[in-house]
Amino acid sequence: MEREDYMRLALDLARQAAMAGDVPVGAVVADRTGQVIGRGQNRREEQKNAVRHAEIEAIEQACAALGSWRLDGCALYVTLEPCPMCAGAVINARVPVLVYGAKEPVTGSCGSVLNLFEERYGFRPAIYGGVLGEECAALLRAFFRDLR
């Protein structure tokens, strides 16, 4: 599968989050063979929990699938540029490839507000932004427009 294919899977999860009343963000983790081993969607409203972000859920599932906290050889695909918490989870799980869709001008931690991956943490993933970015951004815009 190509990056766009994984991002489409993440977009499907983002749409599910929106239907549940959460900000439409979805994420998937693929292992080195290309198999999806983690899926996540925002569930902050559903679970009334500030840390229930799509990336966290996908990383948790991937760690369980591999039986390891290290996600060597994996790639995380997420529809929105990660916040500081999720960027920290990428660093802590040693995810070597991060692919995101839309920029996040308020909390984006891959360069929009700051780039946590440029700090001296001893681990830096390859980062690819803007994959299906307009489609990801349009989903977010529609959600917030309908919310108002």
Side-chain angles (χ1 to χ4, degrees):
M1 287 199 326
E2 300 291 325
R3 289 183 185 143
E4 291 80 7
D5 298 318
Y6 291 107
M7 192 61 73
R8 284 185 188 91
L9 294 174
L11 273 163
D12 288 342
L13 292 162
R15 288 183 191 98
Q16 290 175 30
M19 288 189 293
D22 262 293
V23 174
V25 179
V28 297
V29 175
D31 69 11
R32 67 181 74 245
T33 70
Q35 179 180 348
V36 174
I37 59 170
R39 298 173 191 270
Q41 65 189 63
N42 271 8
R43 297 183 195 273
R44 291 184 307 172
E45 297 300 328
E46 175 186 321
Q47 295 184 4
K48 307 295 185 235
N49 187 324
V51 300
R52 299 318 310 161
H53 286 202
E55 299 95 311
I56 301 298
E57 188 170 83
I59 288 170
E60 286 175 342
Q61 285 183 14
C63 289
L66 294 179
S68 174
W69 60 270
R70 292 179 188 265
L71 297 182
D72 298 328
C74 293
L76 172 65
Y77 299 84
V78 60
T79 58
L80 184 64
E81 179 182 3
C83 72
M85 175 182 70
C86 294
V90 168
I91 291 167
N92 284 319
R94 308 295 194 270
V95 178
V97 177
L98 169 61
V99 181
Y100 68 88
K103 287 281 203 184
E104 197 346 337
V106 177
T107 64
S109 294
C110 298
S112 289
V113 174
L114 61 97
N115 190 338
L116 279 180
F117 302 106
E118 290 180 347
E119 300 302 321
R120 296 177 296 138
Y121 290 114
F123 177 80
R124 289 186 180 154
I127 302 171
Y128 303 94
V131 175
L132 299 183
E134 183 49 42
E135 191 173 342
C136 295
L139 180 60
L140 287 156
R141 282 192 302 270
F143 176 80
F144 286 111
R145 182 186 62 239
D146 294 345
L147 201 61
R148 293 180 185 112

